[in-house]
């Protein structure tokens, strides 16, 4: 009797998923693989007059800051993602912008889908020695100075 009840509930569940039209999404989630992908490397000579760098993002806790003897700023890293390349068409995972004496590095959120866990963005930013670096979240809370 217990086995019959389990089978009835499973059948009702499958019928509900099928009637809602979410069978392809469920199939995609069940067959997806988690991958670690490399961010496109960005490096540029630090513009004249820049005295500080501000790194800002939705989840900036995985940002590592290194001081180098190079006069260039380097941004590189990786991210963990479950999905397909179509989600990234035309999307930049980070951008840089200079305003006055400050260089901003803005980190985007890795796209997520329904019923997927949060995806990790792991970024390293190498700046010349003597440049002040501030890491903050998208609400402006300072994480590291």
């Amino acid at each position: 009797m217990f086995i019959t009840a389990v089978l009835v509930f499973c059948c009702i569940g499958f019928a509900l998923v099928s009637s809602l039209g979410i069978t392809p999404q469920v199939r995609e989630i069940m067959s997806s693989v988690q991958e670690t992908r490399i961010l496109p490397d960005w490096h540029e000579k630090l513009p004249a007059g820049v005295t500080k760098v501000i790194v800002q993002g939705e989840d900036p806790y995985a940002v590592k800051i290194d001081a180098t003897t190079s006069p260039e700023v380097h941004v590189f890293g990786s991210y963990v993602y479950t999905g397909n390349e179509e989600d990234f068409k035309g999307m930049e995972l980070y951008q840089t912008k200079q305003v006055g004496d400050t260089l901003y590095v803005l980190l985007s959120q890795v796209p997520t889908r329904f019923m997927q866990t949060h995806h990790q963005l792991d970024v390293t930013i190498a700046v010349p020695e003597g440049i002040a670096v501030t890491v903050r979240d998208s609400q402006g809370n300072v994480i590291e100075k």
Side-chain angles (χ1 to χ4, degrees), residues 11 55 57 72 110 116 122-123 132:
C11 288
V55 181
E72 295 182 328
V110 177
Q116 287 185 340
D122 184 20
V123 179

PDB file of all heavy atoms in Angstrom, residues 11 55 57 72 110 116 122-123 132:
ATOM      1  N   CYS A  11       3.413  10.034  -9.863  1.00  0.00           N
ATOM      2  CA  CYS A  11       2.659  10.251 -11.115  1.00  0.00           C
ATOM      3  C   CYS A  11       1.976  11.621 -11.112  1.00  0.00           C
ATOM      4  O   CYS A  11       1.976  12.321 -12.125  1.00  0.00           O
ATOM      5  CB  CYS A  11       1.638   9.143 -11.304  1.00  0.00           C
ATOM      6  SG  CYS A  11       2.379   7.557 -11.733  1.00  0.00           S
ATOM      7  N   VAL A  55      36.985  48.777  -6.418  1.00  0.00           N
ATOM      8  CA  VAL A  55      36.418  47.564  -6.999  1.00  0.00           C
ATOM      9  C   VAL A  55      35.033  47.389  -6.403  1.00  0.00           C
ATOM     10  O   VAL A  55      34.881  47.389  -5.178  1.00  0.00           O
ATOM     11  CB  VAL A  55      37.295  46.338  -6.692  1.00  0.00           C
ATOM     12  CG1 VAL A  55      36.699  45.088  -7.317  1.00  0.00           C
ATOM     13  CG2 VAL A  55      38.719  46.563  -7.156  1.00  0.00           C
ATOM     14  N   GLY A  57      31.126  45.277  -6.748  1.00  0.00           N
ATOM     15  CA  GLY A  57      30.361  44.201  -7.360  1.00  0.00           C
ATOM     16  C   GLY A  57      29.280  43.681  -6.443  1.00  0.00           C
ATOM     17  O   GLY A  57      29.229  44.029  -5.256  1.00  0.00           O
ATOM     18  N   GLU A  72      51.165  48.621 -14.737  1.00  0.00           N
ATOM     19  CA  GLU A  72      49.867  48.283 -15.319  1.00  0.00           C
ATOM     20  C   GLU A  72      48.905  47.742 -14.266  1.00  0.00           C
ATOM     21  O   GLU A  72      49.314  47.213 -13.245  1.00  0.00           O
ATOM     22  CB  GLU A  72      50.032  47.220 -16.405  1.00  0.00           C
ATOM     23  CG  GLU A  72      50.828  47.675 -17.604  1.00  0.00           C
ATOM     24  CD  GLU A  72      50.917  46.595 -18.661  1.00  0.00           C
ATOM     25  OE1 GLU A  72      50.926  45.392 -18.303  1.00  0.00           O
ATOM     26  OE2 GLU A  72      50.978  46.941 -19.840  1.00  0.00           O
ATOM     27  N   VAL A 110      27.277  36.931 -12.306  1.00  0.00           N
ATOM     28  CA  VAL A 110      27.199  35.821 -13.245  1.00  0.00           C
ATOM     29  C   VAL A 110      25.727  35.443 -13.396  1.00  0.00           C
ATOM     30  O   VAL A 110      25.012  35.328 -12.406  1.00  0.00           O
ATOM     31  CB  VAL A 110      28.021  34.612 -12.730  1.00  0.00           C
ATOM     32  CG1 VAL A 110      27.877  33.429 -13.666  1.00  0.00           C
ATOM     33  CG2 VAL A 110      29.480  34.997 -12.588  1.00  0.00           C
ATOM     34  N   GLN A 116      18.869  27.398  -9.651  1.00  0.00           N
ATOM     35  CA  GLN A 116      20.309  27.188  -9.664  1.00  0.00           C
ATOM     36  C   GLN A 116      20.920  27.945  -8.500  1.00  0.00           C
ATOM     37  O   GLN A 116      20.433  28.994  -8.095  1.00  0.00           O
ATOM     38  CB  GLN A 116      20.933  27.676 -10.969  1.00  0.00           C
ATOM     39  CG  GLN A 116      20.636  26.774 -12.134  1.00  0.00           C
ATOM     40  CD  GLN A 116      21.370  27.236 -13.378  1.00  0.00           C
ATOM     41  OE1 GLN A 116      21.788  28.374 -13.487  1.00  0.00           O
ATOM     42  NE2 GLN A 116      21.511  26.342 -14.324  1.00  0.00           N
ATOM     43  N   ASP A 122      35.576  34.586  -9.068  1.00  0.00           N
ATOM     44  CA  ASP A 122      36.855  34.654  -8.371  1.00  0.00           C
ATOM     45  C   ASP A 122      37.796  35.538  -9.183  1.00  0.00           C
ATOM     46  O   ASP A 122      38.237  35.148 -10.261  1.00  0.00           O
ATOM     47  CB  ASP A 122      37.423  33.244  -8.226  1.00  0.00           C
ATOM     48  CG  ASP A 122      38.707  33.205  -7.437  1.00  0.00           C
ATOM     49  OD1 ASP A 122      38.985  34.154  -6.680  1.00  0.00           O
ATOM     50  OD2 ASP A 122      39.459  32.222  -7.581  1.00  0.00           O
ATOM     51  N   VAL A 123      38.085  36.752  -8.693  1.00  0.00           N
ATOM     52  CA  VAL A 123      38.826  37.748  -9.460  1.00  0.00           C
ATOM     53  C   VAL A 123      40.078  38.173  -8.707  1.00  0.00           C
ATOM     54  O   VAL A 123      40.051  38.368  -7.496  1.00  0.00           O
ATOM     55  CB  VAL A 123      37.946  38.997  -9.722  1.00  0.00           C
ATOM     56  CG1 VAL A 123      38.700  40.048 -10.492  1.00  0.00           C
ATOM     57  CG2 VAL A 123      36.687  38.604 -10.455  1.00  0.00           C
ATOM     58  N   ALA A 132      46.038  53.153  -3.624  1.00  0.00           N
ATOM     59  CA  ALA A 132      45.037  52.722  -2.641  1.00  0.00           C
ATOM     60  C   ALA A 132      43.920  51.964  -3.350  1.00  0.00           C
ATOM     61  O   ALA A 132      43.420  52.403  -4.385  1.00  0.00           O
ATOM     62  CB  ALA A 132      44.471  53.937  -1.914  1.00  0.00           C
TER      63      ALA A 132
END
